[in-house]
Amino acid sequence: MKILDWYILKRYLFTFFMMLLLFIPIGITINLAEKIDRILEYEVPFPEVVSYYFDFTIYFATLLFPLFLFLSVIWFTSKLANNTEIVAFLSSGVSFSRFLRPYLIGATFVAGLALMLGMYWAPIASKGFNEFTYKYLNSNKVVETQHIYRQINDNDYIYVSNFDTKAKRGNNFTLEHFEGNKLAYKIHASQIRYIEKDSTYQLTNYNLRTIGENEDQLEYIRKKDTIFSFDLQDLTPPMYVAETLTYGELMTFIAREEVRGSSNINRYKVVQYKKWSLPVSVFILTIIAVAVSSVKRRGGMGVNLAFGIVIAMIYVFFDKVFGVMAEQSDFSPLLAVWFPNIVFGSLAIYLLYNAKR
């Protein structure tokens, strides 16, 4: 690599990581200011708080990865343009495509980092982040609205009003078993707890209603240990369980849920496809940022940053809106996840073509 490549590559990576180091403490401070009352109220142990904010850092960085990258590239490229360094590069006979090469090398490194985050590190951090949130930061009223209703197979449906993933305990558990279109029996318990040592479930205030032709049979047991055909993951909120699985685990989980005919498949596939779309967006946003900020403008760096913020916000808006659309409807999750990249990829090609001219 030549001096030009090293110069731009170092600025690319340095500015990006500095942007992360500057904004993540701000995010932690804002989050801590909002949650400190609840943390003190529950007397959360300090090591758990430290672990939570380590997970929060990875979760926060993954969530705003495109925004940080886009703004950092616009920032240092605008400085190069204002110092007429880009004009000097191009005047020396370097083509715009050649000038873009170190940016693409840097984008490859960052895309690899984004891929590793999405596949492995972010799911582990998301699990710790969500467990802490459900255990300490959600009031009872908020948690109880997290109603989890799942179809286990062709005949069985389960429901739990809320589930503590840390304690492996849920409230207001119901299992309904159907034979054809007719309810055969229904199990209800005020509490369900997973006993990891025995791989069994303990039901408190166990009620079994067996539907008969003339009359129903009722059975009540104060506490009952039993085995069910569903897994512990089936009791967790749909998006929560998808976010906490590594890519291999998520693929296996989706295949199993498709066999079961789960109604949450689109939610899981949105999470799956985003793991691949984020690294691709790194290249798209890098090209757009370079094409926009490589020209010296009358308004200086402020104009480029303002334009960059608008573009980044539109990208995030598209990403969120189409993601929710796929989760809540029959809209294709593949198209929903890749639509922002398709739109902004087309914009990148257009801007790159004009920048070369």
Side-chain angles (χ1 to χ4, degrees), residues 45-99:
F46 181 72
E48 288 197 40
V49 176
V50 173
S51 178
Y52 166 72
Y53 278 106
F54 177 76
D55 293 332
F56 173 83
T57 298
I58 298 177
Y59 184 86
F60 183 71
T62 305
L63 187 67
L64 298 179
F65 213 88
L67 180 62
F68 289 149
L69 175 74
F70 195 65
L71 293 181
S72 64
V73 175
I74 283 185
W75 173 269
F76 87 84
T77 305
S78 296
K79 290 186 68 176
L80 294 178
N82 287 341
N83 295 334
T84 65
E85 292 178 80
I86 295 178
V87 174
F89 294 150
L90 299 179
S91 299
S92 65
V94 175
S95 66
F96 194 86
S97 298
R98 178 64 183 82
F99 169 72

Short mmCIF file of all heavy atoms in Angstrom, two decimals, residues 45-99:
data_model
loop_
_atom_site.label_atom_id
_atom_site.label_comp_id
_atom_site.label_asym_id
_atom_site.label_seq_id
_atom_site.Cartn_x
_atom_site.Cartn_y
_atom_site.Cartn_z
N PRO A 45 -26.41 -5.35 42.71
CA PRO A 45 -24.97 -5.49 42.99
C PRO A 45 -24.14 -4.78 41.92
O PRO A 45 -24.46 -4.82 40.73
CB PRO A 45 -24.75 -7.00 42.95
CG PRO A 45 -26.09 -7.59 43.24
CD PRO A 45 -27.09 -6.66 42.65
N PHE A 46 -23.05 -4.16 42.36
CA PHE A 46 -22.21 -3.37 41.46
C PHE A 46 -21.67 -4.20 40.28
O PHE A 46 -21.67 -3.71 39.15
CB PHE A 46 -21.06 -2.74 42.24
CG PHE A 46 -20.15 -1.88 41.40
CD1 PHE A 46 -20.57 -0.64 40.93
CD2 PHE A 46 -18.88 -2.33 41.05
CE1 PHE A 46 -19.74 0.14 40.14
CE2 PHE A 46 -18.05 -1.56 40.26
CZ PHE A 46 -18.47 -0.32 39.81
N PRO A 47 -21.21 -5.46 40.52
CA PRO A 47 -20.72 -6.25 39.36
C PRO A 47 -21.79 -6.46 38.30
O PRO A 47 -21.47 -6.49 37.11
CB PRO A 47 -20.31 -7.59 40.02
CG PRO A 47 -19.99 -7.24 41.43
CD PRO A 47 -20.96 -6.16 41.79
N GLU A 48 -23.06 -6.59 38.72
CA GLU A 48 -24.13 -6.76 37.73
C GLU A 48 -24.35 -5.49 36.94
O GLU A 48 -24.65 -5.53 35.75
CB GLU A 48 -25.43 -7.19 38.42
CG GLU A 48 -25.43 -8.62 38.93
CD GLU A 48 -26.83 -9.12 39.23
OE1 GLU A 48 -27.76 -8.81 38.45
OE2 GLU A 48 -27.00 -9.81 40.24
N VAL A 49 -24.20 -4.33 37.60
CA VAL A 49 -24.34 -3.05 36.90
C VAL A 49 -23.23 -2.89 35.87
O VAL A 49 -23.46 -2.47 34.73
CB VAL A 49 -24.33 -1.87 37.90
CG1 VAL A 49 -24.38 -0.54 37.14
CG2 VAL A 49 -25.49 -1.97 38.86
N VAL A 50 -21.99 -3.24 36.27
CA VAL A 50 -20.85 -3.15 35.35
C VAL A 50 -21.06 -4.09 34.16
O VAL A 50 -20.83 -3.70 33.00
CB VAL A 50 -19.54 -3.51 36.08
CG1 VAL A 50 -18.38 -3.59 35.08
CG2 VAL A 50 -19.23 -2.48 37.15
N SER A 51 -21.52 -5.31 34.44
CA SER A 51 -21.77 -6.27 33.37
C SER A 51 -22.87 -5.77 32.43
O SER A 51 -22.79 -5.91 31.20
CB SER A 51 -22.18 -7.62 33.96
OG SER A 51 -22.48 -8.55 32.95
N TYR A 52 -23.91 -5.14 33.00
CA TYR A 52 -25.01 -4.61 32.21
C TYR A 52 -24.52 -3.53 31.25
O TYR A 52 -24.88 -3.52 30.07
CB TYR A 52 -26.09 -4.04 33.13
CG TYR A 52 -27.11 -3.18 32.43
CD1 TYR A 52 -28.08 -3.74 31.60
CD2 TYR A 52 -27.11 -1.79 32.59
CE1 TYR A 52 -29.02 -2.95 30.95
CE2 TYR A 52 -28.05 -1.00 31.95
CZ TYR A 52 -29.00 -1.57 31.14
OH TYR A 52 -29.93 -0.78 30.49
N TYR A 53 -23.67 -2.62 31.74
CA TYR A 53 -23.23 -1.53 30.87
C TYR A 53 -22.16 -1.98 29.88
O TYR A 53 -21.99 -1.35 28.83
CB TYR A 53 -22.75 -0.34 31.72
CG TYR A 53 -23.94 0.48 32.16
CD1 TYR A 53 -24.39 0.44 33.47
CD2 TYR A 53 -24.66 1.24 31.24
CE1 TYR A 53 -25.51 1.16 33.86
CE2 TYR A 53 -25.77 1.97 31.62
CZ TYR A 53 -26.20 1.92 32.93
OH TYR A 53 -27.32 2.62 33.29
N PHE A 54 -21.47 -3.08 30.17
CA PHE A 54 -20.60 -3.66 29.14
C PHE A 54 -21.46 -4.23 28.01
O PHE A 54 -21.18 -4.00 26.82
CB PHE A 54 -19.75 -4.77 29.75
CG PHE A 54 -18.87 -5.47 28.75
CD1 PHE A 54 -17.71 -4.89 28.27
CD2 PHE A 54 -19.22 -6.74 28.27
CE1 PHE A 54 -16.91 -5.53 27.34
CE2 PHE A 54 -18.43 -7.40 27.34
CZ PHE A 54 -17.27 -6.78 26.87
N ASP A 55 -22.53 -4.95 28.38
CA ASP A 55 -23.46 -5.47 27.37
C ASP A 55 -24.17 -4.33 26.64
O ASP A 55 -24.39 -4.38 25.43
CB ASP A 55 -24.50 -6.38 28.03
CG ASP A 55 -23.89 -7.66 28.59
OD1 ASP A 55 -22.86 -8.10 28.05
OD2 ASP A 55 -24.43 -8.20 29.56
N PHE A 56 -24.51 -3.27 27.38
CA PHE A 56 -25.17 -2.11 26.80
C PHE A 56 -24.27 -1.46 25.75
O PHE A 56 -24.75 -0.99 24.70
CB PHE A 56 -25.51 -1.10 27.90
CG PHE A 56 -26.06 0.21 27.39
CD1 PHE A 56 -27.40 0.33 27.05
CD2 PHE A 56 -25.23 1.31 27.23
CE1 PHE A 56 -27.90 1.53 26.58
CE2 PHE A 56 -25.72 2.51 26.76
CZ PHE A 56 -27.07 2.62 26.44
N THR A 57 -22.96 -1.41 26.02
CA THR A 57 -22.02 -0.81 25.08
C THR A 57 -22.04 -1.53 23.74
O THR A 57 -22.11 -0.90 22.67
CB THR A 57 -20.59 -0.83 25.67
OG1 THR A 57 -20.57 -0.05 26.87
CG2 THR A 57 -19.59 -0.27 24.68
N ILE A 58 -21.98 -2.86 23.79
CA ILE A 58 -22.01 -3.65 22.54
C ILE A 58 -23.37 -3.51 21.86
O ILE A 58 -23.46 -3.34 20.64
CB ILE A 58 -21.70 -5.13 22.85
CG1 ILE A 58 -20.30 -5.26 23.44
CG2 ILE A 58 -21.83 -5.99 21.59
CD1 ILE A 58 -19.93 -6.66 23.85
N TYR A 59 -24.44 -3.56 22.65
CA TYR A 59 -25.81 -3.44 22.12
C TYR A 59 -26.00 -2.07 21.46
O TYR A 59 -26.53 -1.97 20.35
CB TYR A 59 -26.79 -3.63 23.27
CG TYR A 59 -28.25 -3.62 22.88
CD1 TYR A 59 -28.89 -4.79 22.46
CD2 TYR A 59 -29.00 -2.46 22.96
CE1 TYR A 59 -30.22 -4.78 22.12
CE2 TYR A 59 -30.34 -2.45 22.62
CZ TYR A 59 -30.95 -3.61 22.21
OH TYR A 59 -32.28 -3.59 21.87
N PHE A 60 -25.56 -1.02 22.14
CA PHE A 60 -25.70 0.35 21.66
C PHE A 60 -24.87 0.57 20.40
O PHE A 60 -25.32 1.19 19.43
CB PHE A 60 -25.27 1.31 22.77
CG PHE A 60 -25.43 2.77 22.45
CD1 PHE A 60 -26.69 3.34 22.36
CD2 PHE A 60 -24.32 3.58 22.23
CE1 PHE A 60 -26.84 4.69 22.07
CE2 PHE A 60 -24.46 4.92 21.94
CZ PHE A 60 -25.73 5.49 21.86
N ALA A 61 -23.62 0.06 20.41
CA ALA A 61 -22.74 0.23 19.25
C ALA A 61 -23.30 -0.48 18.02
O ALA A 61 -23.25 0.05 16.91
CB ALA A 61 -21.34 -0.30 19.58
N THR A 62 -23.84 -1.69 18.21
CA THR A 62 -24.41 -2.44 17.09
C THR A 62 -25.64 -1.73 16.54
O THR A 62 -25.84 -1.66 15.32
CB THR A 62 -24.81 -3.86 17.55
OG1 THR A 62 -23.67 -4.50 18.12
CG2 THR A 62 -25.31 -4.68 16.37
N LEU A 63 -26.45 -1.19 17.43
CA LEU A 63 -27.69 -0.52 17.02
C LEU A 63 -27.41 0.71 16.16
O LEU A 63 -28.10 0.97 15.17
CB LEU A 63 -28.49 -0.12 18.27
CG LEU A 63 -29.89 0.45 18.06
CD1 LEU A 63 -30.82 -0.62 17.49
CD2 LEU A 63 -30.44 0.99 19.37
N LEU A 64 -26.37 1.48 16.52
CA LEU A 64 -26.10 2.75 15.83
C LEU A 64 -24.85 2.68 14.95
O LEU A 64 -24.26 3.71 14.61
CB LEU A 64 -25.95 3.87 16.86
CG LEU A 64 -27.21 4.17 17.70
CD1 LEU A 64 -26.92 5.27 18.70
CD2 LEU A 64 -28.38 4.56 16.81
N PHE A 65 -24.45 1.47 14.61
CA PHE A 65 -23.25 1.26 13.79
C PHE A 65 -23.28 2.09 12.50
O PHE A 65 -22.31 2.80 12.20
CB PHE A 65 -23.13 -0.23 13.48
CG PHE A 65 -21.73 -0.71 13.38
CD1 PHE A 65 -21.04 -1.14 14.51
CD2 PHE A 65 -21.07 -0.75 12.16
CE1 PHE A 65 -19.74 -1.60 14.43
CE2 PHE A 65 -19.77 -1.21 12.08
CZ PHE A 65 -19.10 -1.64 13.22
N PRO A 66 -24.35 2.02 11.70
CA PRO A 66 -24.35 2.78 10.44
C PRO A 66 -24.24 4.29 10.65
O PRO A 66 -23.56 4.98 9.89
CB PRO A 66 -25.71 2.41 9.80
CG PRO A 66 -26.10 1.14 10.46
CD PRO A 66 -25.58 1.22 11.85
N LEU A 67 -24.92 4.80 11.69
CA LEU A 67 -24.89 6.23 11.95
C LEU A 67 -23.48 6.70 12.31
O LEU A 67 -22.99 7.71 11.79
CB LEU A 67 -25.87 6.56 13.07
CG LEU A 67 -25.98 8.03 13.49
CD1 LEU A 67 -26.47 8.88 12.33
CD2 LEU A 67 -26.89 8.19 14.69
N PHE A 68 -22.81 5.98 13.21
CA PHE A 68 -21.45 6.34 13.61
C PHE A 68 -20.50 6.32 12.41
O PHE A 68 -19.68 7.22 12.23
CB PHE A 68 -20.93 5.38 14.68
CG PHE A 68 -21.59 5.53 16.02
CD1 PHE A 68 -21.75 4.45 16.87
CD2 PHE A 68 -22.08 6.75 16.44
CE1 PHE A 68 -22.36 4.58 18.10
CE2 PHE A 68 -22.69 6.91 17.67
CZ PHE A 68 -22.83 5.81 18.51
N LEU A 69 -20.60 5.27 11.62
CA LEU A 69 -19.70 5.13 10.47
C LEU A 69 -19.90 6.26 9.48
O LEU A 69 -18.93 6.89 9.02
CB LEU A 69 -19.96 3.78 9.79
CG LEU A 69 -19.17 3.55 8.50
CD1 LEU A 69 -17.71 3.26 8.82
CD2 LEU A 69 -19.76 2.43 7.67
N PHE A 70 -21.15 6.52 9.14
CA PHE A 70 -21.47 7.53 8.14
C PHE A 70 -20.96 8.91 8.56
O PHE A 70 -20.32 9.61 7.77
CB PHE A 70 -22.98 7.55 7.93
CG PHE A 70 -23.42 8.28 6.70
CD1 PHE A 70 -23.08 7.82 5.44
CD2 PHE A 70 -24.19 9.43 6.79
CE1 PHE A 70 -23.49 8.50 4.30
CE2 PHE A 70 -24.61 10.10 5.66
CZ PHE A 70 -24.26 9.64 4.40
N LEU A 71 -21.21 9.29 9.80
CA LEU A 71 -20.80 10.61 10.28
C LEU A 71 -19.28 10.71 10.37
O LEU A 71 -18.71 11.77 10.09
CB LEU A 71 -21.44 10.89 11.64
CG LEU A 71 -22.96 11.05 11.64
CD1 LEU A 71 -23.47 11.35 13.04
CD2 LEU A 71 -23.40 12.15 10.68
N SER A 72 -18.62 9.63 10.77
CA SER A 72 -17.16 9.68 10.90
C SER A 72 -16.50 9.85 9.53
O SER A 72 -15.52 10.60 9.40
CB SER A 72 -16.64 8.43 11.61
OG SER A 72 -16.89 7.26 10.85
N VAL A 73 -17.01 9.15 8.52
CA VAL A 73 -16.43 9.27 7.17
C VAL A 73 -16.66 10.67 6.61
O VAL A 73 -15.75 11.28 6.01
CB VAL A 73 -17.02 8.20 6.22
CG1 VAL A 73 -16.53 8.42 4.79
CG2 VAL A 73 -16.63 6.80 6.68
N ILE A 74 -17.86 11.20 6.80
CA ILE A 74 -18.15 12.56 6.33
C ILE A 74 -17.25 13.57 7.06
O ILE A 74 -16.74 14.52 6.45
CB ILE A 74 -19.64 12.90 6.55
CG1 ILE A 74 -20.48 12.22 5.47
CG2 ILE A 74 -19.87 14.40 6.52
CD1 ILE A 74 -21.94 12.58 5.50
N TRP A 75 -17.04 13.36 8.34
CA TRP A 75 -16.25 14.29 9.15
C TRP A 75 -14.83 14.42 8.61
O TRP A 75 -14.38 15.52 8.29
CB TRP A 75 -16.24 13.82 10.60
CG TRP A 75 -15.32 14.60 11.49
CD1 TRP A 75 -14.01 14.34 11.78
CD2 TRP A 75 -15.64 15.80 12.21
NE1 TRP A 75 -13.50 15.28 12.63
CE2 TRP A 75 -14.48 16.18 12.91
CE3 TRP A 75 -16.79 16.57 12.34
CZ2 TRP A 75 -14.44 17.31 13.72
CZ3 TRP A 75 -16.75 17.69 13.15
CH2 TRP A 75 -15.60 18.05 13.83
N PHE A 76 -14.11 13.28 8.50
CA PHE A 76 -12.69 13.42 8.14
C PHE A 76 -12.52 13.66 6.64
O PHE A 76 -11.54 14.32 6.23
CB PHE A 76 -11.89 12.19 8.61
CG PHE A 76 -11.85 11.03 7.68
CD1 PHE A 76 -10.93 10.96 6.64
CD2 PHE A 76 -12.70 9.96 7.86
CE1 PHE A 76 -10.88 9.87 5.80
CE2 PHE A 76 -12.65 8.86 7.04
CZ PHE A 76 -11.73 8.81 5.99
N THR A 77 -13.46 13.20 5.79
CA THR A 77 -13.35 13.48 4.36
C THR A 77 -13.62 14.96 4.09
O THR A 77 -12.98 15.57 3.22
CB THR A 77 -14.34 12.61 3.56
OG1 THR A 77 -14.12 11.24 3.87
CG2 THR A 77 -14.13 12.80 2.07
N SER A 78 -14.55 15.56 4.83
CA SER A 78 -14.81 16.99 4.69
C SER A 78 -13.58 17.80 5.10
O SER A 78 -13.27 18.83 4.48
CB SER A 78 -16.01 17.40 5.55
OG SER A 78 -17.19 16.78 5.10
N LYS A 79 -12.87 17.35 6.13
CA LYS A 79 -11.65 18.05 6.54
C LYS A 79 -10.59 17.96 5.44
O LYS A 79 -9.88 18.93 5.18
CB LYS A 79 -11.11 17.44 7.84
CG LYS A 79 -11.95 17.74 9.06
CD LYS A 79 -11.30 17.24 10.33
CE LYS A 79 -10.05 18.02 10.65
NZ LYS A 79 -9.44 17.63 11.93
N LEU A 80 -10.49 16.78 4.80
CA LEU A 80 -9.56 16.65 3.67
C LEU A 80 -9.94 17.60 2.55
O LEU A 80 -9.06 18.24 1.94
CB LEU A 80 -9.55 15.21 3.16
CG LEU A 80 -9.01 14.11 4.07
CD1 LEU A 80 -9.14 12.74 3.39
CD2 LEU A 80 -7.56 14.37 4.43
N ALA A 81 -11.25 17.71 2.27
CA ALA A 81 -11.70 18.58 1.18
C ALA A 81 -11.46 20.05 1.52
O ALA A 81 -11.01 20.83 0.67
CB ALA A 81 -13.19 18.34 0.92
N ASN A 82 -11.72 20.44 2.76
CA ASN A 82 -11.53 21.84 3.17
C ASN A 82 -10.06 22.24 3.15
O ASN A 82 -9.73 23.41 2.94
CB ASN A 82 -12.11 22.07 4.56
CG ASN A 82 -13.63 22.09 4.57
OD1 ASN A 82 -14.26 22.27 3.52
ND2 ASN A 82 -14.23 21.88 5.71
N ASN A 83 -9.19 21.27 3.40
CA ASN A 83 -7.75 21.55 3.36
C ASN A 83 -7.18 21.39 1.95
O ASN A 83 -5.94 21.41 1.79
CB ASN A 83 -7.01 20.62 4.32
CG ASN A 83 -7.36 20.86 5.76
OD1 ASN A 83 -7.76 21.96 6.14
ND2 ASN A 83 -7.24 19.83 6.59
N THR A 84 -8.08 21.21 0.96
CA THR A 84 -7.73 21.01 -0.46
C THR A 84 -6.79 19.82 -0.67
O THR A 84 -6.11 19.74 -1.70
CB THR A 84 -7.09 22.28 -1.06
OG1 THR A 84 -5.84 22.52 -0.42
CG2 THR A 84 -8.01 23.48 -0.91
N GLU A 85 -6.77 18.87 0.26
CA GLU A 85 -5.93 17.69 0.12
C GLU A 85 -6.47 16.77 -0.98
O GLU A 85 -5.70 16.15 -1.72
CB GLU A 85 -5.84 16.92 1.44
CG GLU A 85 -5.09 17.68 2.53
CD GLU A 85 -5.05 16.92 3.84
OE1 GLU A 85 -4.23 16.00 3.97
OE2 GLU A 85 -5.87 17.24 4.72
N ILE A 86 -7.80 16.69 -1.09
CA ILE A 86 -8.38 15.83 -2.11
C ILE A 86 -8.08 16.36 -3.50
O ILE A 86 -7.79 15.59 -4.43
CB ILE A 86 -9.90 15.70 -1.89
CG1 ILE A 86 -10.17 14.97 -0.56
CG2 ILE A 86 -10.57 14.95 -3.03
CD1 ILE A 86 -11.64 14.82 -0.22
N VAL A 87 -8.14 17.69 -3.64
CA VAL A 87 -7.81 18.31 -4.92
C VAL A 87 -6.37 17.98 -5.31
O VAL A 87 -6.06 17.67 -6.47
CB VAL A 87 -8.01 19.84 -4.85
CG1 VAL A 87 -7.51 20.50 -6.14
CG2 VAL A 87 -9.47 20.18 -4.62
N ALA A 88 -5.49 18.00 -4.32
CA ALA A 88 -4.08 17.69 -4.59
C ALA A 88 -3.92 16.23 -5.00
O ALA A 88 -3.15 15.91 -5.92
CB ALA A 88 -3.24 17.97 -3.34
N PHE A 89 -4.65 15.33 -4.34
CA PHE A 89 -4.58 13.91 -4.70
C PHE A 89 -5.02 13.70 -6.15
O PHE A 89 -4.34 13.04 -6.94
CB PHE A 89 -5.46 13.08 -3.77
CG PHE A 89 -5.00 13.07 -2.34
CD1 PHE A 89 -5.92 12.93 -1.31
CD2 PHE A 89 -3.67 13.20 -2.02
CE1 PHE A 89 -5.51 12.92 0.00
CE2 PHE A 89 -3.24 13.19 -0.69
CZ PHE A 89 -4.17 13.06 0.33
N LEU A 90 -6.20 14.25 -6.47
CA LEU A 90 -6.76 14.03 -7.80
C LEU A 90 -5.96 14.74 -8.89
O LEU A 90 -5.89 14.27 -10.02
CB LEU A 90 -8.22 14.48 -7.83
CG LEU A 90 -9.17 13.74 -6.86
CD1 LEU A 90 -10.59 14.29 -6.95
CD2 LEU A 90 -9.18 12.24 -7.15
N SER A 91 -5.37 15.89 -8.55
CA SER A 91 -4.58 16.64 -9.53
C SER A 91 -3.27 15.93 -9.86
O SER A 91 -2.67 16.18 -10.92
CB SER A 91 -4.27 18.05 -8.99
OG SER A 91 -5.47 18.76 -8.76
N SER A 92 -2.83 15.05 -8.95
CA SER A 92 -1.57 14.34 -9.20
C SER A 92 -1.75 13.17 -10.16
O SER A 92 -0.80 12.43 -10.41
CB SER A 92 -1.01 13.82 -7.87
OG SER A 92 -1.88 12.85 -7.29
N GLY A 93 -2.97 13.00 -10.66
CA GLY A 93 -3.23 11.93 -11.61
C GLY A 93 -3.94 10.74 -11.02
O GLY A 93 -4.19 9.74 -11.73
N VAL A 94 -4.27 10.80 -9.73
CA VAL A 94 -4.99 9.71 -9.07
C VAL A 94 -6.46 9.79 -9.46
O VAL A 94 -7.10 10.84 -9.32
CB VAL A 94 -4.84 9.80 -7.53
CG1 VAL A 94 -5.69 8.73 -6.85
CG2 VAL A 94 -3.38 9.67 -7.14
N SER A 95 -7.01 8.72 -9.97
CA SER A 95 -8.43 8.69 -10.33
C SER A 95 -9.29 8.63 -9.07
O SER A 95 -8.82 8.25 -7.99
CB SER A 95 -8.75 7.49 -11.22
OG SER A 95 -8.58 6.28 -10.49
N PHE A 96 -10.56 8.98 -9.23
CA PHE A 96 -11.45 8.94 -8.06
C PHE A 96 -11.63 7.51 -7.58
O PHE A 96 -11.74 7.27 -6.37
CB PHE A 96 -12.82 9.55 -8.42
CG PHE A 96 -13.66 9.85 -7.21
CD1 PHE A 96 -13.54 11.05 -6.53
CD2 PHE A 96 -14.58 8.93 -6.73
CE1 PHE A 96 -14.30 11.33 -5.41
CE2 PHE A 96 -15.36 9.19 -5.62
CZ PHE A 96 -15.21 10.40 -4.96
N SER A 97 -11.66 6.56 -8.49
CA SER A 97 -11.78 5.15 -8.09
C SER A 97 -10.57 4.71 -7.28
O SER A 97 -10.71 3.99 -6.29
CB SER A 97 -11.92 4.26 -9.33
OG SER A 97 -13.09 4.59 -10.06
N ARG A 98 -9.39 5.18 -7.70
CA ARG A 98 -8.17 4.85 -6.95
C ARG A 98 -8.17 5.54 -5.59
O ARG A 98 -7.74 4.97 -4.59
CB ARG A 98 -6.95 5.29 -7.77
CG ARG A 98 -5.61 5.05 -7.08
CD ARG A 98 -5.36 3.58 -6.85
NE ARG A 98 -4.11 3.34 -6.13
CZ ARG A 98 -3.97 3.43 -4.82
NH1 ARG A 98 -5.02 3.76 -4.07
NH2 ARG A 98 -2.80 3.20 -4.25
N PHE A 99 -8.68 6.75 -5.56
CA PHE A 99 -8.79 7.50 -4.30
C PHE A 99 -9.74 6.79 -3.33
O PHE A 99 -9.55 6.82 -2.11
CB PHE A 99 -9.29 8.91 -4.60
CG PHE A 99 -9.70 9.69 -3.39
CD1 PHE A 99 -8.75 10.17 -2.49
CD2 PHE A 99 -11.04 9.95 -3.14
CE1 PHE A 99 -9.13 10.89 -1.36
CE2 PHE A 99 -11.43 10.67 -2.02
CZ PHE A 99 -10.46 11.15 -1.13
#
